[in-house]
Structure formats: structure tokens, C-alpha cells
Amino acid sequence: MAQMKVADIRAMSPDQMDDAVAGLKKERFNLRFQRATGQLENTSRLREARRDIARIKTIAAQKRDAKK
């Protein structure tokens, strides 16, 4: 999964955002295991996944606040 674009995230529904975060968390878990066993080739993907999770959560919070 490539880095997510803000416009793509803003177009998601809250359920889609939750699913995306869950998928990214699973990916991070697997990447951490790969790194621990020496199998991880693309180490920058860990950082990208972490930032994608933060990006989605930030936009979700902004959407929630805008509804209030």
C-alpha cells in the first residue's frame, strides 16, 4: 500500500477510515516482526504506515469536530 493522499482520505466515510486504520495497524505489526527477524527489506514502510495512521486519525477528528 502506497502512502495515502489527503484528498483520498477526506473522501472516505468514517467506517472506511476505521477499516483503513485497522489494516495499517495489522501491516505495522507484520512489518515489526519482519524487522525483528531480519526479513524486512523496505524499512521506510514502517514510518510511512505510522504516518498514514496518524493522517487518517487527524482527518477523522477534524470531520468529527466540524459536525459539532
Side-chain angles (χ1 to χ4, degrees):
M1 181 184 264
Q3 184 175 358
M4 296 185 139
K5 303 286 185 209
V6 174
D8 296 337
I9 297 170
R10 288 193 191 281
M12 290 182 180
S13 71
D15 290 337
Q16 289 173 321
M17 287 184 192
D18 292 342
D19 291 343
V21 168
L24 286 165
K25 284 184 176 184
K26 286 180 186 177
E27 180 182 359
R28 274 195 65 219
F29 179 81
N30 290 330
L31 290 170
R32 285 197 313 264
F33 265 89
Q34 288 177 19
R35 183 177 62 182
T37 59
Q39 297 174 345
L40 184 62
E41 293 178 11
N42 185 4
T43 55
S44 66
R45 186 60 197 133
L46 271 166
R47 184 179 191 183
E48 289 173 9
R50 186 178 72 237
R51 289 183 175 190
D52 283 342
I53 291 168
R55 192 173 292 118
I56 293 169
K57 286 185 171 186
T58 299
I59 293 171
Q62 288 171 350
K63 281 187 168 186
R64 276 195 309 272
D65 291 345
K67 289 182 180 179
K68 290 183 178 179

